[in-house]
């Protein structure tokens, strides 16, 4: 049974729901990349829980090489994504699979996929746990995602509020009083 944290209003996606979607997403990847040797790039910190669960389900040879990026709005509304900790691998000629917790404005993954294409990766794809289509500001789509998320602030399974709640074994909504 889920012992729900006191600060959580409701559970949106349970461990069981996430598990069965991750099984489906991994099955597709296992078919697609059989015989290949991709570089799997978790986008830290948010993706670490989802990515580690996904990676355990993958049956092809792969390299795990995380990346860290920070995105902040510049003086204009275009936003700016900076790699703060780069991968160590040479992606040239190798398939790249990004793993991400959530696609929101789309800026982070749009920028990161462009960088890897620029480094001559054989292919680049993005697997996200959640997709928030309502808040998108750039034209970017994950190749696959677990669930469509409502336009609410979510925590758990890697998603944080002020660095906390990433360890919750479900995706949920915080109680209003936590923000106050
Ligand atoms: O689609 P976007 O609008 O670019 O936003 C999505 C990104 O924002 C969050 O990360 P954040 O930068 O908050 O850092 P974190 O992963 O360390 O929590 C989230 O984990 C995604 O990486
Ligand atoms: N923690 C958290 N981070 C986000 N980044 C973009 N959307 C969200 C969200 O709903 N929750
Ligand atoms: Mg992140």
């Amino acid at each position: 049974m889920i012992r729900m944290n006191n600060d959580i209003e409701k559970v949106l996606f349970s461990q069981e729901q996430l598990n069965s979607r991750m099984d489906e997403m991994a099955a597709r990847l296992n078919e697609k990349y059989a015989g290949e040797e991709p570089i799997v790039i978790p986008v830290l910190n948010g993706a670490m829980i989802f990515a580690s669960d996904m990676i355990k389900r993958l049956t092809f040879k792969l390299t795990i090489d995380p990346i860290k990026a920070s995105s902040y709005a510049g003086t204009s509304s275009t936003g700016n994504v900076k790699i703060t900790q780069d991968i160590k691998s040479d992606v040239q000629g190798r398939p790249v699979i990004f793993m991400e917790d959530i696609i929101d404005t789309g800026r982070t993954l749009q920028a990161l996929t462009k960088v890897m294409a620029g480094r001559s990766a054989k292919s680049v794809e993005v697997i996200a746990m959640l997709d928030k289509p309502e808040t998108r500001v750039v034209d970017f789509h994950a190749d696959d995602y677990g669930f469509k998320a409502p336009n609410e602030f979510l925590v758990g399974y890697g998603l944080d509020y002020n660095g906390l709640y990433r360890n919750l074994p479900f995706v949920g909504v915080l109680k209003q009083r936590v923000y106050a």
Side-chain angles (χ1 to χ4, degrees), residues 128-155:
M129 176 173 71
L130 301 175
D131 183 45
K132 257 188 186 176
E134 290 168 46
T135 47
R136 199 75 91 254
V137 302
V138 296
D139 184 22
F140 178 83
H141 302 280
D143 296 86
D144 200 5
Y145 60 87
F147 295 98
K148 204 165 276 191
N151 189 13
E152 287 182 275
F153 190 75
L154 310 175
V155 293

Side-chain angles (χ1 to χ4, degrees), residues 33-140:
Y33 292 102
E36 298 219 62
E37 226 171 273
I39 300 172
V40 174
I41 308 184
V43 185
L44 299 178
N45 293 319
M48 61 192 296
I49 311 287
F50 170 68
S52 69
D53 279 5
M54 278 298 293
I55 290 164
K56 283 181 285 184
R57 290 168 160 84
L58 301 179
T59 51
F60 47 89
K61 285 186 182 171
L62 58 86
T63 304
I64 303 170
D65 203 340
I67 202 166
K68 207 164 184 169
S70 86
S71 93
Y72 48 93
T75 48
S76 71
S77 63
T78 54
N80 192 2
V81 177
K82 208 177 150 216
I83 293 175
T84 54
Q85 184 194 304
D86 208 339
I87 62 169
K88 307 282 186 286
S89 314
D90 181 2
V91 303
Q92 187 169 0
R94 290 181 69 183
V96 162
I97 307 171
F98 280 101
M99 295 205 175
E100 182 57 301
D101 53 353
I102 191 163
I103 313 284
D104 187 27
T105 65
R107 281 178 179 136
T108 302
L109 265 302
Q110 186 186 61
L112 294 181
T113 52
K114 276 185 186 160
V115 168
M116 295 306 157
R119 292 178 189 175
S120 306
K122 182 181 178 187
S123 58
V124 181
E125 88 167 90
V126 175
I127 308 299
M129 176 173 71
L130 301 175
D131 183 45
K132 257 188 186 176
E134 290 168 46
T135 47
R136 199 75 91 254
V137 302
V138 296
D139 184 22
F140 178 83

Side-chain angles (χ1 to χ4, degrees), residues 7-42:
D7 296 341
I8 299 302
E9 180 75 44
K10 62 182 174 193
V11 175
L12 276 190
F13 305 111
S14 68
Q15 178 75 77
E16 290 69 27
Q17 288 174 295
L18 290 163
N19 282 342
S20 71
R21 279 298 292 133
M22 288 191 288
D23 286 345
E24 292 169 356
M25 288 192 281
R28 188 185 68 83
L29 293 175
N30 286 334
E31 232 173 75
K32 179 169 177 183
Y33 292 102
E36 298 219 62
E37 226 171 273
I39 300 172
V40 174
I41 308 184

